[in-house]
Amino acid sequence: MLPSALLLSIAIPALGPCLQDSQSDSLAPYQPPGEEVTDAVAKQLEGLDPSKTGWPTEVLHNLAKPRLAEFVELIATGQAHELGRHLSPSYRGQTHLRPTELVTVLDRTGLLVRQAARFEHELSPPSELRSFVRDLLAPYASEDLGGHADLHLHAKSKIFTTDPDPSDERVFTTMALVRFDGPTPRGRLLETNMEWRIQWERMEGAAVGIRSIRVELFDEIRSPGPLFQDVTTQVLSEIPRYEEEFLRGSNAYHFRLDRMDGNVYSGQYGVSVGDVNGDGLDDVFVPQHGGLPNRLLLHRADGSVEDITESSGLGILEETQSALILDLDNDGDEDIAMACGPAVVLAYNDGEAHFRLRRRPLAVGGDKIESLAAADWDGDGDLDLYACMYNKKGPLGTVPTPYQDATNGPRNIAWRNDGPDPRPGRIQRWTDVTTQLGFDENNNKFSYAALFEDFDGDGDLDLYVVNDFGRNNLYRNDDGRFHDVATEVGADDMAPGMGVTVADVDNDGDLDMYVTNMWSSAGRRIASQENRFMEGEDEELRSEYLHHARGNTLLLNDGTGRFRDVTESSGAMNAGWSWGSISLDLNNDGLADFYAPNGFLTGPDTEDL
């Protein structure tokens, strides 16, 4: 059995524009002022109506979703007496909403995680619903609920399967995630995560009512308080243009700045951390989209920051998709490599945070660099570079083909660091060794991130590449040449890959991998319907689509570089619409935890993250 690991996720608004008007229920695509919706776009928008595209299960989902949201909100606000209006006249009952027997799976450094010891199959009478709700909320309340408790809970629900009853067209069943979180009477924080199997009944008109509720997953997580405190404004508010640049998403500037500088609605720029002036404190480099200067923030001893962008020489206005702070020329200070559109711009540090930009950057052609990775893969004492490519028009510029295992992406590039250039005015020599060293094998993906580690324990660095729309690559280092062995060793993880982090999750002395993908409730609802989705296709292809919507992946290393997928048994799968991730020991208990930012703002429903 795996050691207990705490998986935390946050919902963050995406940096892109909304696809719907946030002030209206009507569908309206984002468009620059003065431009009209084309007939082609209007036709595509009509396709979002499931009643017109032959998806009756999605019609049922759309009926049930708001009713479930209202139902859990009534619970969260202590209004159990109002729940009856969401029940079907033939309501049959429910299991205990808070199981009667909980077992502790983690009790360390103030964190307490408990799960259900077992689940009931038989329904209790409808008359017990209100008492079951009181039991569910008892840890949050200090008084009898009865509709009058002063609760301060956040409620969340999300339906991820919809199954009609083949024997009764009025009845259908959904599986839903249901979550409550908030303070307890003693000032602790409590989060309750559940999966409910809900049977619904269609009534007159478009109304639906709940016919039964069965709890099939239950976790309670208690902590003495927030693990982290948000000090963003406290630390950064004095830097120039803090509100204009740091408190706005990229959609605030999309179509408002010269697109020749690079303006991509999806954002995804990240930050880089390192000590650029040698004072022992980590500083922060903030890449920005085209038209806004990159920012270099110097960390002062008192915890404040100073913006030294202008004096550093790094405030270029070209879109900078990502950056690394690292010593490129082995002179003992930290340089910066920046991914600027189709080129890597190298900035060499004089030791005092003044940077000299290389006049001729490392170019990759017309495609766009998504991220950078660096390591001394050849063991010669200096850092080499690897660039992940997506495509020159951004995430929607090329249709990935085939969708679940695309092979029409651009070519990633590997550069070997050949040390100082003896020619006057030059600094470093770099050589494209992508083909020479074997990195061109299966080098046709939509790559988001890469990570160098010694996965097989043979003393040299291998490379894992995370790809959107398909299989990942694991380039094993065999005496200085690389071979893609991802499928052979069980690490290909065919999914919408976004990021990867490593940790020794099972404490056996080798590095395991946590790959962030996208958990899609819509994808799980649709791809699971054998009689409707991809009807006539083989089961293997359908399972690939299901895997695509499954969520994050945890791969355990056997010590030789072969991996076993333990995602579902570990509980590390559902972290939302995930992007990157990091591993760290959040509660200082000696075990690896994962932090996975997630979210994509898709419409007027701000809870749809």
Side-chain angles (χ1 to χ4, degrees), residues 243-301:
E243 293 188 3
E244 294 88 341
E245 295 180 15
F246 287 77
L247 298 186
R248 296 184 184 179
S250 63
N251 59 305
Y253 291 102
H254 193 55
F255 284 119
R256 292 175 175 84
L257 293 171
D258 192 336
R259 62 176 70 175
M260 290 182 67
D261 289 327
N263 274 286
V264 177
Y265 76 92
S266 56
Q268 307 162 343
Y269 298 102
V271 298
S272 187
V273 177
D275 182 5
V276 298
N277 63 342
D279 64 355
L281 300 174
D282 281 334
D283 311 303
V284 179
F285 181 70
V286 185
Q288 299 210 78
H289 57 78
L292 297 178
N294 300 327
R295 295 285 180 187
L296 181 58
L297 307 178
L298 204 63
H299 184 176
R300 294 301 189 191

Short mmCIF file of all heavy atoms in Angstrom, two decimals, residues 243-301:
data_model
loop_
_atom_site.label_atom_id
_atom_site.label_comp_id
_atom_site.label_asym_id
_atom_site.label_seq_id
_atom_site.Cartn_x
_atom_site.Cartn_y
_atom_site.Cartn_z
N GLU A 243 -0.75 46.69 -10.61
CA GLU A 243 -2.15 46.36 -10.92
C GLU A 243 -2.34 46.07 -12.39
O GLU A 243 -3.05 45.15 -12.77
CB GLU A 243 -3.07 47.50 -10.47
CG GLU A 243 -3.15 47.68 -8.96
CD GLU A 243 -4.21 48.68 -8.57
OE1 GLU A 243 -4.91 49.19 -9.47
OE2 GLU A 243 -4.35 48.95 -7.36
N GLU A 244 -1.68 46.87 -13.26
CA GLU A 244 -1.88 46.72 -14.70
C GLU A 244 -1.29 45.43 -15.25
O GLU A 244 -1.82 44.84 -16.20
CB GLU A 244 -1.27 47.91 -15.45
CG GLU A 244 -1.96 49.25 -15.19
CD GLU A 244 -1.36 49.96 -13.98
OE1 GLU A 244 -0.70 49.29 -13.16
OE2 GLU A 244 -1.55 51.19 -13.86
N GLU A 245 -0.18 44.97 -14.67
CA GLU A 245 0.50 43.82 -15.24
C GLU A 245 0.34 42.53 -14.43
O GLU A 245 0.33 41.44 -15.01
CB GLU A 245 2.00 44.13 -15.40
CG GLU A 245 2.27 45.24 -16.41
CD GLU A 245 3.75 45.54 -16.56
OE1 GLU A 245 4.57 44.72 -16.11
OE2 GLU A 245 4.09 46.61 -17.11
N PHE A 246 0.21 42.63 -13.12
CA PHE A 246 0.18 41.43 -12.29
C PHE A 246 -1.22 41.02 -11.87
O PHE A 246 -1.42 39.87 -11.46
CB PHE A 246 1.05 41.63 -11.05
CG PHE A 246 2.53 41.60 -11.34
CD1 PHE A 246 3.15 42.70 -11.91
CD2 PHE A 246 3.28 40.49 -11.06
CE1 PHE A 246 4.50 42.68 -12.20
CE2 PHE A 246 4.65 40.46 -11.33
CZ PHE A 246 5.26 41.56 -11.90
N LEU A 247 -2.17 41.91 -11.93
CA LEU A 247 -3.52 41.59 -11.48
C LEU A 247 -4.50 41.44 -12.64
O LEU A 247 -5.71 41.42 -12.43
CB LEU A 247 -4.03 42.66 -10.51
CG LEU A 247 -3.24 42.81 -9.21
CD1 LEU A 247 -3.93 43.80 -8.29
CD2 LEU A 247 -3.06 41.48 -8.51
N ARG A 248 -3.98 41.35 -13.85
CA ARG A 248 -4.85 41.17 -15.02
C ARG A 248 -4.40 39.94 -15.80
O ARG A 248 -3.22 39.65 -15.90
CB ARG A 248 -4.79 42.39 -15.94
CG ARG A 248 -5.32 43.65 -15.30
CD ARG A 248 -5.33 44.80 -16.28
NE ARG A 248 -5.75 46.04 -15.64
CZ ARG A 248 -5.83 47.22 -16.28
NH1 ARG A 248 -5.50 47.29 -17.55
NH2 ARG A 248 -6.23 48.30 -15.64
N GLY A 249 -5.38 39.22 -16.35
CA GLY A 249 -5.07 38.10 -17.21
C GLY A 249 -4.68 38.57 -18.59
O GLY A 249 -4.84 39.75 -18.94
N SER A 250 -4.17 37.67 -19.41
CA SER A 250 -3.70 38.07 -20.73
C SER A 250 -4.84 38.54 -21.62
O SER A 250 -4.63 39.27 -22.59
CB SER A 250 -2.96 36.91 -21.40
OG SER A 250 -3.82 35.82 -21.59
N ASN A 251 -6.09 38.12 -21.30
CA ASN A 251 -7.20 38.59 -22.12
C ASN A 251 -7.41 40.09 -22.00
O ASN A 251 -8.03 40.72 -22.87
CB ASN A 251 -8.49 37.86 -21.74
CG ASN A 251 -8.86 38.06 -20.29
OD1 ASN A 251 -8.06 37.78 -19.40
ND2 ASN A 251 -10.07 38.53 -20.04
N ALA A 252 -6.88 40.72 -20.92
CA ALA A 252 -7.02 42.17 -20.77
C ALA A 252 -6.24 42.90 -21.85
O ALA A 252 -6.56 44.05 -22.18
CB ALA A 252 -6.52 42.60 -19.39
N TYR A 253 -5.22 42.24 -22.41
CA TYR A 253 -4.39 42.89 -23.43
C TYR A 253 -4.53 42.25 -24.81
O TYR A 253 -4.05 42.80 -25.79
CB TYR A 253 -2.92 42.85 -23.00
CG TYR A 253 -2.63 43.72 -21.81
CD1 TYR A 253 -2.49 43.18 -20.54
CD2 TYR A 253 -2.52 45.10 -21.95
CE1 TYR A 253 -2.24 43.98 -19.43
CE2 TYR A 253 -2.26 45.92 -20.86
CZ TYR A 253 -2.13 45.36 -19.60
OH TYR A 253 -1.88 46.15 -18.52
N HIS A 254 -5.17 41.10 -24.89
CA HIS A 254 -5.32 40.43 -26.17
C HIS A 254 -6.11 41.31 -27.14
O HIS A 254 -7.15 41.86 -26.79
CB HIS A 254 -6.02 39.10 -25.97
CG HIS A 254 -5.96 38.20 -27.15
ND1 HIS A 254 -4.78 37.83 -27.76
CD2 HIS A 254 -6.93 37.58 -27.86
CE1 HIS A 254 -5.02 37.03 -28.77
NE2 HIS A 254 -6.33 36.86 -28.85
N PHE A 255 -5.62 41.46 -28.35
CA PHE A 255 -6.18 42.33 -29.37
C PHE A 255 -6.05 43.81 -29.03
O PHE A 255 -6.67 44.65 -29.66
CB PHE A 255 -7.66 42.00 -29.65
CG PHE A 255 -7.86 40.76 -30.46
CD1 PHE A 255 -8.56 39.69 -29.97
CD2 PHE A 255 -7.33 40.66 -31.74
CE1 PHE A 255 -8.74 38.55 -30.70
CE2 PHE A 255 -7.51 39.52 -32.50
CZ PHE A 255 -8.21 38.47 -31.97
N ARG A 256 -5.27 44.14 -28.01
CA ARG A 256 -5.07 45.54 -27.66
C ARG A 256 -3.61 45.95 -27.77
O ARG A 256 -3.27 47.10 -27.56
CB ARG A 256 -5.58 45.79 -26.23
CG ARG A 256 -7.10 45.67 -26.11
CD ARG A 256 -7.55 45.80 -24.66
NE ARG A 256 -9.01 45.81 -24.57
CZ ARG A 256 -9.76 44.71 -24.55
NH1 ARG A 256 -9.18 43.53 -24.60
NH2 ARG A 256 -11.08 44.80 -24.47
N LEU A 257 -2.75 44.98 -28.09
CA LEU A 257 -1.34 45.26 -28.30
C LEU A 257 -0.93 44.70 -29.66
O LEU A 257 -1.58 43.82 -30.21
CB LEU A 257 -0.48 44.62 -27.20
CG LEU A 257 -0.65 45.21 -25.79
CD1 LEU A 257 0.07 44.35 -24.78
CD2 LEU A 257 -0.13 46.64 -25.74
N ASP A 258 0.15 45.21 -30.20
CA ASP A 258 0.62 44.81 -31.52
C ASP A 258 0.89 43.31 -31.54
O ASP A 258 1.76 42.82 -30.82
CB ASP A 258 1.90 45.59 -31.86
CG ASP A 258 2.28 45.45 -33.33
OD1 ASP A 258 1.87 44.45 -33.95
OD2 ASP A 258 2.98 46.33 -33.84
N ARG A 259 0.16 42.59 -32.39
CA ARG A 259 0.35 41.14 -32.39
C ARG A 259 1.69 40.74 -33.00
O ARG A 259 2.10 39.58 -32.89
CB ARG A 259 -0.81 40.44 -33.11
CG ARG A 259 -0.99 40.79 -34.57
CD ARG A 259 -2.12 39.96 -35.17
NE ARG A 259 -3.42 40.33 -34.68
CZ ARG A 259 -4.56 39.80 -35.14
NH1 ARG A 259 -4.52 38.87 -36.06
NH2 ARG A 259 -5.72 40.17 -34.68
N MET A 260 2.42 41.68 -33.59
CA MET A 260 3.78 41.37 -34.06
C MET A 260 4.71 41.08 -32.88
O MET A 260 5.71 40.37 -33.02
CB MET A 260 4.34 42.53 -34.89
CG MET A 260 3.68 42.70 -36.25
SD MET A 260 4.43 44.04 -37.19
CE MET A 260 6.07 43.35 -37.49
N ASP A 261 4.40 41.63 -31.72
CA ASP A 261 5.20 41.36 -30.52
C ASP A 261 4.84 40.02 -29.89
O ASP A 261 5.54 39.53 -29.00
CB ASP A 261 4.98 42.47 -29.47
CG ASP A 261 5.63 43.77 -29.89
OD1 ASP A 261 6.67 43.72 -30.56
OD2 ASP A 261 5.08 44.83 -29.54
N GLY A 262 3.72 39.43 -30.33
CA GLY A 262 3.29 38.16 -29.77
C GLY A 262 2.23 38.35 -28.72
O GLY A 262 2.52 38.80 -27.62
N ASN A 263 1.00 38.01 -29.06
CA ASN A 263 -0.10 38.09 -28.10
C ASN A 263 -0.90 36.80 -28.18
O ASN A 263 -1.65 36.58 -29.13
CB ASN A 263 -1.01 39.28 -28.42
CG ASN A 263 -0.51 40.55 -27.79
OD1 ASN A 263 -0.62 40.73 -26.59
ND2 ASN A 263 0.06 41.42 -28.59
N VAL A 264 -0.72 35.93 -27.23
CA VAL A 264 -1.42 34.65 -27.21
C VAL A 264 -2.41 34.67 -26.06
O VAL A 264 -2.03 34.92 -24.92
CB VAL A 264 -0.43 33.49 -27.05
CG1 VAL A 264 -1.18 32.17 -26.97
CG2 VAL A 264 0.54 33.47 -28.23
N TYR A 265 -3.67 34.40 -26.35
CA TYR A 265 -4.71 34.54 -25.34
C TYR A 265 -4.53 33.59 -24.16
O TYR A 265 -5.01 33.86 -23.07
CB TYR A 265 -6.08 34.30 -25.97
CG TYR A 265 -6.39 32.84 -26.23
CD1 TYR A 265 -7.06 32.08 -25.28
CD2 TYR A 265 -6.00 32.22 -27.41
CE1 TYR A 265 -7.32 30.75 -25.49
CE2 TYR A 265 -6.25 30.89 -27.63
CZ TYR A 265 -6.92 30.16 -26.67
OH TYR A 265 -7.18 28.83 -26.89
N SER A 266 -3.83 32.48 -24.37
CA SER A 266 -3.80 31.44 -23.34
C SER A 266 -2.81 31.71 -22.23
O SER A 266 -2.79 30.99 -21.24
CB SER A 266 -3.49 30.08 -23.97
OG SER A 266 -2.27 30.15 -24.69
N GLY A 267 -1.96 32.71 -22.35
CA GLY A 267 -1.04 33.04 -21.27
C GLY A 267 0.01 31.97 -21.06
O GLY A 267 0.80 31.67 -21.94
N GLN A 268 0.04 31.36 -19.87
CA GLN A 268 0.92 30.23 -19.55
C GLN A 268 2.40 30.62 -19.51
O GLN A 268 3.26 29.87 -19.95
CB GLN A 268 0.74 29.09 -20.57
CG GLN A 268 -0.70 28.65 -20.75
CD GLN A 268 -0.92 27.88 -22.03
OE1 GLN A 268 -0.12 27.93 -22.94
NE2 GLN A 268 -2.02 27.19 -22.11
N TYR A 269 2.73 31.77 -18.96
CA TYR A 269 4.12 32.22 -19.02
C TYR A 269 4.95 31.77 -17.82
O TYR A 269 6.15 31.60 -17.95
CB TYR A 269 4.15 33.76 -19.15
CG TYR A 269 3.49 34.22 -20.42
CD1 TYR A 269 2.20 34.74 -20.42
CD2 TYR A 269 4.13 34.07 -21.64
CE1 TYR A 269 1.58 35.13 -21.59
CE2 TYR A 269 3.51 34.45 -22.83
CZ TYR A 269 2.24 34.98 -22.80
OH TYR A 269 1.64 35.34 -23.96
N GLY A 270 4.36 31.61 -16.68
CA GLY A 270 5.10 31.13 -15.52
C GLY A 270 6.11 32.14 -15.01
O GLY A 270 6.17 33.29 -15.45
N VAL A 271 6.95 31.72 -14.06
CA VAL A 271 8.02 32.55 -13.51
C VAL A 271 9.26 31.68 -13.36
O VAL A 271 9.20 30.46 -13.42
CB VAL A 271 7.64 33.17 -12.14
CG1 VAL A 271 6.43 34.08 -12.26
CG2 VAL A 271 7.40 32.08 -11.10
N SER A 272 10.40 32.34 -13.15
CA SER A 272 11.65 31.63 -12.89
C SER A 272 12.29 32.23 -11.65
O SER A 272 12.23 33.45 -11.43
CB SER A 272 12.59 31.76 -14.10
OG SER A 272 13.73 30.96 -13.95
N VAL A 273 12.90 31.37 -10.83
CA VAL A 273 13.46 31.80 -9.55
C VAL A 273 14.94 31.44 -9.48
O VAL A 273 15.34 30.34 -9.84
CB VAL A 273 12.70 31.12 -8.38
CG1 VAL A 273 13.33 31.49 -7.05
CG2 VAL A 273 11.23 31.51 -8.40
N GLY A 274 15.76 32.40 -9.03
CA GLY A 274 17.19 32.16 -8.86
C GLY A 274 17.88 33.39 -8.29
O GLY A 274 17.31 34.49 -8.28
N ASP A 275 19.11 33.22 -7.83
CA ASP A 275 19.87 34.31 -7.21
C ASP A 275 20.72 35.00 -8.27
O ASP A 275 21.80 34.55 -8.62
CB ASP A 275 20.77 33.74 -6.10
CG ASP A 275 21.56 34.82 -5.38
OD1 ASP A 275 21.34 36.02 -5.65
OD2 ASP A 275 22.41 34.45 -4.56
N VAL A 276 20.22 36.14 -8.79
CA VAL A 276 20.91 36.79 -9.92
C VAL A 276 22.02 37.74 -9.48
O VAL A 276 22.85 38.15 -10.30
CB VAL A 276 19.91 37.56 -10.81
CG1 VAL A 276 18.90 36.61 -11.43
CG2 VAL A 276 19.22 38.68 -10.04
N ASN A 277 22.06 38.12 -8.19
CA ASN A 277 23.11 39.06 -7.75
C ASN A 277 24.03 38.47 -6.68
O ASN A 277 24.82 39.20 -6.07
CB ASN A 277 22.49 40.37 -7.25
CG ASN A 277 21.61 40.17 -6.03
OD1 ASN A 277 21.18 39.05 -5.73
ND2 ASN A 277 21.33 41.25 -5.31
N GLY A 278 23.92 37.18 -6.44
CA GLY A 278 24.86 36.50 -5.56
C GLY A 278 24.77 36.86 -4.10
O GLY A 278 25.76 36.68 -3.37
N ASP A 279 23.62 37.32 -3.63
CA ASP A 279 23.51 37.69 -2.21
C ASP A 279 22.89 36.58 -1.37
O ASP A 279 22.60 36.76 -0.18
CB ASP A 279 22.69 38.97 -2.05
CG ASP A 279 21.24 38.83 -2.51
OD1 ASP A 279 20.89 37.75 -3.05
OD2 ASP A 279 20.46 39.78 -2.34
N GLY A 280 22.66 35.42 -1.97
CA GLY A 280 22.11 34.30 -1.23
C GLY A 280 20.60 34.27 -1.15
O GLY A 280 20.03 33.36 -0.54
N LEU A 281 19.93 35.25 -1.74
CA LEU A 281 18.48 35.30 -1.74
C LEU A 281 17.95 35.05 -3.16
O LEU A 281 18.50 35.59 -4.13
CB LEU A 281 17.99 36.67 -1.24
CG LEU A 281 18.41 37.07 0.17
CD1 LEU A 281 17.98 38.50 0.47
CD2 LEU A 281 17.82 36.11 1.21
N ASP A 282 16.90 34.29 -3.25
CA ASP A 282 16.33 33.99 -4.57
C ASP A 282 15.52 35.17 -5.08
O ASP A 282 14.69 35.74 -4.37
CB ASP A 282 15.43 32.75 -4.49
CG ASP A 282 16.23 31.47 -4.47
OD1 ASP A 282 17.35 31.47 -4.99
OD2 ASP A 282 15.72 30.46 -3.94
N ASP A 283 15.76 35.51 -6.33
CA ASP A 283 15.05 36.58 -7.01
C ASP A 283 14.06 35.96 -8.00
O ASP A 283 14.08 34.76 -8.25
CB ASP A 283 16.05 37.48 -7.73
CG ASP A 283 17.20 37.90 -6.80
OD1 ASP A 283 16.91 38.49 -5.75
OD2 ASP A 283 18.37 37.59 -7.12
N VAL A 284 13.19 36.79 -8.58
CA VAL A 284 12.13 36.29 -9.44
C VAL A 284 12.16 37.00 -10.78
O VAL A 284 12.18 38.23 -10.85
CB VAL A 284 10.74 36.48 -8.79
CG1 VAL A 284 9.64 35.97 -9.72
CG2 VAL A 284 10.66 35.76 -7.45
N PHE A 285 12.16 36.20 -11.85
CA PHE A 285 12.06 36.74 -13.21
C PHE A 285 10.67 36.40 -13.74
O PHE A 285 10.26 35.24 -13.72
CB PHE A 285 13.13 36.13 -14.11
CG PHE A 285 13.10 36.67 -15.52
CD1 PHE A 285 13.48 37.98 -15.79
CD2 PHE A 285 12.71 35.86 -16.58
CE1 PHE A 285 13.45 38.48 -17.09
CE2 PHE A 285 12.69 36.35 -17.88
CZ PHE A 285 13.05 37.66 -18.13
N VAL A 286 9.94 37.42 -14.20
CA VAL A 286 8.56 37.25 -14.64
C VAL A 286 8.46 37.50 -16.14
O VAL A 286 8.49 38.65 -16.59
CB VAL A 286 7.61 38.22 -13.90
CG1 VAL A 286 6.16 37.94 -14.30
CG2 VAL A 286 7.78 38.10 -12.39
N PRO A 287 8.38 36.45 -16.97
CA PRO A 287 8.15 36.64 -18.40
C PRO A 287 6.74 37.18 -18.64
O PRO A 287 5.81 36.86 -17.89
CB PRO A 287 8.30 35.24 -18.98
CG PRO A 287 8.96 34.43 -17.92
CD PRO A 287 8.53 35.04 -16.62
N GLN A 288 6.59 37.97 -19.70
CA GLN A 288 5.26 38.50 -20.02
C GLN A 288 4.99 38.38 -21.51
O GLN A 288 5.90 38.15 -22.32
CB GLN A 288 5.16 39.97 -19.58
CG GLN A 288 5.36 40.17 -18.08
CD GLN A 288 4.60 41.36 -17.56
OE1 GLN A 288 3.39 41.28 -17.35
NE2 GLN A 288 5.29 42.46 -17.32
N HIS A 289 3.71 38.56 -21.85
CA HIS A 289 3.37 38.44 -23.26
C HIS A 289 3.79 39.69 -24.03
O HIS A 289 4.18 40.70 -23.44
CB HIS A 289 1.88 38.14 -23.45
CG HIS A 289 0.95 39.13 -22.85
ND1 HIS A 289 0.67 40.33 -23.41
CD2 HIS A 289 0.22 39.07 -21.70
CE1 HIS A 289 -0.20 40.98 -22.67
NE2 HIS A 289 -0.49 40.24 -21.62
N GLY A 290 3.74 39.60 -25.33
CA GLY A 290 4.27 40.65 -26.18
C GLY A 290 3.69 42.02 -25.88
O GLY A 290 2.49 42.17 -25.66
N GLY A 291 4.55 43.03 -25.88
CA GLY A 291 4.13 44.40 -25.64
C GLY A 291 4.32 44.86 -24.22
O GLY A 291 4.24 46.05 -23.94
N LEU A 292 4.55 43.93 -23.30
CA LEU A 292 4.82 44.26 -21.90
C LEU A 292 6.23 43.78 -21.55
O LEU A 292 6.64 42.70 -21.97
CB LEU A 292 3.81 43.60 -20.96
CG LEU A 292 2.35 44.02 -21.11
CD1 LEU A 292 1.48 43.23 -20.14
CD2 LEU A 292 2.18 45.51 -20.88
N PRO A 293 6.98 44.57 -20.79
CA PRO A 293 8.36 44.18 -20.50
C PRO A 293 8.42 43.03 -19.50
O PRO A 293 7.62 42.96 -18.57
CB PRO A 293 8.96 45.45 -19.89
CG PRO A 293 7.79 46.14 -19.26
CD PRO A 293 6.62 45.87 -20.17
N ASN A 294 9.38 42.12 -19.71
CA ASN A 294 9.67 41.14 -18.68
C ASN A 294 10.13 41.88 -17.43
O ASN A 294 10.74 42.95 -17.52
CB ASN A 294 10.76 40.18 -19.14
CG ASN A 294 10.35 39.41 -20.38
OD1 ASN A 294 9.18 39.11 -20.56
ND2 ASN A 294 11.30 39.10 -21.23
N ARG A 295 9.86 41.30 -16.25
CA ARG A 295 10.20 41.97 -15.00
C ARG A 295 11.21 41.12 -14.22
O ARG A 295 11.05 39.91 -14.08
CB ARG A 295 8.96 42.16 -14.13
CG ARG A 295 7.92 43.10 -14.74
CD ARG A 295 8.34 44.55 -14.63
NE ARG A 295 7.37 45.46 -15.21
CZ ARG A 295 7.57 46.76 -15.34
NH1 ARG A 295 8.74 47.30 -14.94
NH2 ARG A 295 6.66 47.54 -15.88
N LEU A 296 12.27 41.77 -13.71
CA LEU A 296 13.22 41.12 -12.81
C LEU A 296 13.06 41.76 -11.44
O LEU A 296 13.28 42.96 -11.26
CB LEU A 296 14.65 41.28 -13.30
CG LEU A 296 15.72 40.61 -12.42
CD1 LEU A 296 15.46 39.11 -12.29
CD2 LEU A 296 17.11 40.85 -12.99
N LEU A 297 12.66 40.95 -10.46
CA LEU A 297 12.36 41.44 -9.11
C LEU A 297 13.43 40.94 -8.16
O LEU A 297 13.58 39.72 -7.95
CB LEU A 297 10.97 40.96 -8.67
CG LEU A 297 9.81 41.27 -9.64
CD1 LEU A 297 8.51 40.70 -9.11
CD2 LEU A 297 9.70 42.76 -9.89
N LEU A 298 14.16 41.87 -7.58
CA LEU A 298 15.26 41.54 -6.67
C LEU A 298 14.73 41.36 -5.26
O LEU A 298 13.97 42.18 -4.74
CB LEU A 298 16.30 42.67 -6.70
CG LEU A 298 17.73 42.31 -6.31
CD1 LEU A 298 18.31 41.30 -7.29
CD2 LEU A 298 18.58 43.58 -6.27
N HIS A 299 15.12 40.28 -4.63
CA HIS A 299 14.68 39.91 -3.29
C HIS A 299 15.58 40.62 -2.26
O HIS A 299 16.78 40.38 -2.22
CB HIS A 299 14.79 38.39 -3.14
CG HIS A 299 14.29 37.85 -1.85
ND1 HIS A 299 14.24 36.51 -1.58
CD2 HIS A 299 13.81 38.46 -0.73
CE1 HIS A 299 13.78 36.31 -0.37
NE2 HIS A 299 13.51 37.48 0.17
N ARG A 300 15.00 41.46 -1.43
CA ARG A 300 15.74 42.16 -0.39
C ARG A 300 15.70 41.38 0.93
O ARG A 300 14.82 40.56 1.14
CB ARG A 300 15.16 43.56 -0.18
CG ARG A 300 15.33 44.49 -1.37
CD ARG A 300 16.78 44.66 -1.72
NE ARG A 300 17.01 45.68 -2.72
CZ ARG A 300 18.17 45.88 -3.34
NH1 ARG A 300 19.20 45.09 -3.06
NH2 ARG A 300 18.31 46.83 -4.23
N ALA A 301 16.64 41.66 1.79
CA ALA A 301 16.78 40.91 3.05
C ALA A 301 15.56 41.06 3.95
O ALA A 301 15.26 40.17 4.76
CB ALA A 301 18.03 41.36 3.79
#
